[in-house]
């Protein structure tokens, strides 16, 4: 395909900016790791508390040789992805229901706010007693952490859809389903993607930091 000189310059600028951003990001990470290692070596920070990149690499290699590290990583990945899939799936369905049924949304709104502010880690022992110290308990904890956030984020994205566009489709006789599938959901793509980003991090937190420390105590 023939391109003008301006198009070539534009594409070149885009590629250069992309490489510049990635290069600066990599540089900042390397500087951070180097500074971290130097501060730990000079005892300017407590290496026992803050560790160091070198000790982390050595510990990882030791765990790989002494224990089945890959199997544990795959297990955590499985738990995280399962909780992530359930959270985003249920969150999307519930958000659609709340958007379509305004009365239901008003009823559950204070409960969603309350559940979102609830410290989920406090429910850890109860979940272990109910579900046992197993994978199911870990997934339940991760689901509790990511589900409410997914519902609220996606639902608010639906509500931010341009009301004039909705009225325009209604004036043409579009049904609720058509408005939802042809306008509301496509207009909320960026919000749904943001929800995916939040959901995956919350799922990882739920399967590692929160739940597993209770399992190890037991």
């Amino acid at each position: 395909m023939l391109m003008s000189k301006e198009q070539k310059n534009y594409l070149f600028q885009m590629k250069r900016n992309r490489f510049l951003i990635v290069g600066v990001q990599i540089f900042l990470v390397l500087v951070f790791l180097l500074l971290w290692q130097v501060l730990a070596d000079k005892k300017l920070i407590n290496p026992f508390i803050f560790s160091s990149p070198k000790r982390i690499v050595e510990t990882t290699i030791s765990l790989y040789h002494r224990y089945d590290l890959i199997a544990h990583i795959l297990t955590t990945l499985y738990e995280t992805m399962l909780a992530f899939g359930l959270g985003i799936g249920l969150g999307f369905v519930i958000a659609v229901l709340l958007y379509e049924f305004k009365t239901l949304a008003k009823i559950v709104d204070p409960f969603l706010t309350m559940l979102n502010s609830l410290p989920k880690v406090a429910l850890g022992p109860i979940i272990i007693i109910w579900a046992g110290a197993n994978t199911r308990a870990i997934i339940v904890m991760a689901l509790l952490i990511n589900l409410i956030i997914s519902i609220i984020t996606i639902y608010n994205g639906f509500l931010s859809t341009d009301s004039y566009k909705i009225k325009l489709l209604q004036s043409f006789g579009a049904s609720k389903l058509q408005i939802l599938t042809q306008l509301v959901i496509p207009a909320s793509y960026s919000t749904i993607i943001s929800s995916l980003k939040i959901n995956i991090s919350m799922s990882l937190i739920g399967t590692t930091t929160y739940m597993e420390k209770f399992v190890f105590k037991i």
Side-chain angles (χ1 to χ4, degrees):
M1 183 178 66
L2 296 177
M3 291 188 295
S4 65
K5 182 179 179 180
E6 290 76 13
Q7 288 177 312
K8 292 181 180 179
N9 289 335
Y10 175 74
L11 293 176
F12 175 76
Q13 290 290 341
M14 288 186 62
K15 290 181 180 179
R16 188 175 68 174
N17 289 338
R18 191 180 303 117
F19 282 119
L20 177 63
I21 292 172
V22 174
V24 172
Q25 290 174 335
I26 294 175
F27 174 74
L28 291 176
V29 171
L30 293 177
V31 169
F32 171 75
L33 293 176
L34 179 61
L35 182 61
W36 183 9
Q37 184 65 52
V38 171
L39 292 176
D41 291 339
K42 300 294 184 180
K43 307 296 182 183
L44 296 177
I45 60 175
N46 191 333
F48 178 78
I49 296 176
F50 296 99
S51 188
S52 68
K54 181 181 177 181
R55 293 181 64 180
I56 292 174
V57 172
E58 291 174 348
T59 301
T60 303
I61 295 174
S62 175
L63 289 173
Y64 176 78
H65 289 295
R66 296 175 57 187
Y67 303 97
D68 197 356
L69 180 62
I70 301 300
H72 291 296
I73 292 176
L74 292 177
T75 299
T76 302
L77 181 62
Y78 163 76
E79 294 166 349
T80 301
M81 296 309 297
L82 182 57
F84 169 73
L86 290 173
I88 200 65
L90 291 174
F92 181 82
V93 171
I94 295 173
V96 169
L97 292 176
L98 294 179
Y99 180 79
E100 289 297 331
F101 301 98
K102 306 299 182 183
T103 302
L104 176 63
K106 293 179 181 179
I107 292 174
V108 303
D109 179 68
F111 299 103
L112 287 176
T113 303
M114 179 183 65
L115 290 174
N116 188 44
S117 61
L118 181 70
K120 283 75 173 182
V121 65
L123 300 177
I126 298 176
I127 293 175
I128 291 176
I129 294 174
W130 170 62
N134 50 35
T135 300
R136 182 174 61 179
I138 295 174
I139 293 174
V140 169
M141 173 57 77
L143 192 58
L144 286 177
I145 292 174
N146 67 42
L147 179 59
I148 304 302
I149 295 177
S150 297
I151 295 172
I152 294 175
T153 303
I154 298 175
Y155 176 62
N156 287 332
F158 290 164
L159 292 179
S160 64
T161 305
D162 193 338
S163 59
Y164 290 105
K165 293 181 179 179
I166 295 176
K167 291 178 181 179
L168 177 62
L169 290 183
Q170 289 174 341
S171 66
F172 284 109
S175 64
K176 286 187 175 181
L177 181 60
Q178 289 174 324
I179 295 174
L180 177 68
T181 57
Q182 302 300 320
L183 174 61
V184 176
I185 293 178
S188 304
Y189 278 164
S190 60
T191 304
I192 295 174
I193 296 300
S194 298
S195 178
L196 291 174
K197 296 178 181 179
I198 298 173
N199 190 298
I200 191 65
S201 61
M202 291 296 101
S203 299
L204 183 60
I205 290 172
T207 56
T208 55
T209 307
Y210 285 91
M211 198 62 212
E212 289 183 4
K213 70 178 181 180
F214 289 112
V215 173
F216 287 135
K217 283 183 180 179
I218 290 181

